[in-house]
Amino acid sequence: MPAGQEDGHGRTAVAVDAATRDRNLKRLRRIEGQVRGLQRMVEEDRYCADILTQISSVHEALRSVGRELMRNHLKHCAANAIRSGDDQAEQMYDELVDMMYRHIR
């Protein structure tokens, strides 16, 4: 299994800076509110271009959280696995390549 620790619910991060975690949670809560706003806009038959503008805003906000998570993953989880030099390192290389191809779109 690549870096991360089992907690009974799946893998957990090796290390997460508390300030980064809090910042990401605040962003995700804001995004949740934006999505609820999008639902209202659709319910109210708002102008399509306005809805699409808000969708772009949500996409960018999610990308921002993704960048923070990727940075943390590379800095801690991936670095620890790669330093191990064993099967964990090979699994991490595969995981990183898969992540890049999945999220490059």
Side-chain angles (χ1 to χ4, degrees):
M1 165 161 304
Q5 302 162 348
E6 284 292 327
D7 70 352
H9 300 287
R11 294 180 291 177
T12 59
V14 172
V16 179
D17 174 62
T20 300
R21 180 180 178 273
D22 290 344
R23 196 169 44 249
N24 281 335
L25 284 171
K26 285 178 187 174
R27 285 179 178 153
L28 289 168
R29 288 183 185 113
R30 195 174 314 121
I31 292 165
E32 182 180 20
Q34 286 177 296
V35 170
R36 278 201 253 28
L38 281 166
Q39 290 170 340
R40 279 191 303 277
M41 290 176 81
V42 170
E43 287 170 354
E44 296 168 359
D45 294 323
R46 297 279 297 274
Y47 190 59
C48 295
D50 293 342
I51 296 171
L52 291 168
T53 298
Q54 290 305 311
I55 288 172
S56 290
S57 177
V58 170
H59 276 265
E60 185 52 39
L62 284 169
R63 278 191 291 274
S64 177
V65 172
R67 280 190 298 274
E68 287 278 344
L69 291 171
M70 177 61 85
R71 186 178 197 295
N72 188 78
H73 188 60
L74 291 171
K75 186 175 181 180
H76 299 289
C77 301
N80 287 346
I82 291 167
R83 270 191 226 108
S84 74
D86 59 13
D87 282 348
Q88 261 195 333
E90 288 302 317
Q91 290 175 357
M92 181 54 68
Y93 291 130
D94 292 341
E95 178 180 292
L96 291 172
V97 169
D98 288 344
M99 284 174 52
M100 285 188 288
Y101 279 103
R102 252 194 328 251
H103 298 288
I104 202 162
R105 307 178 247 152

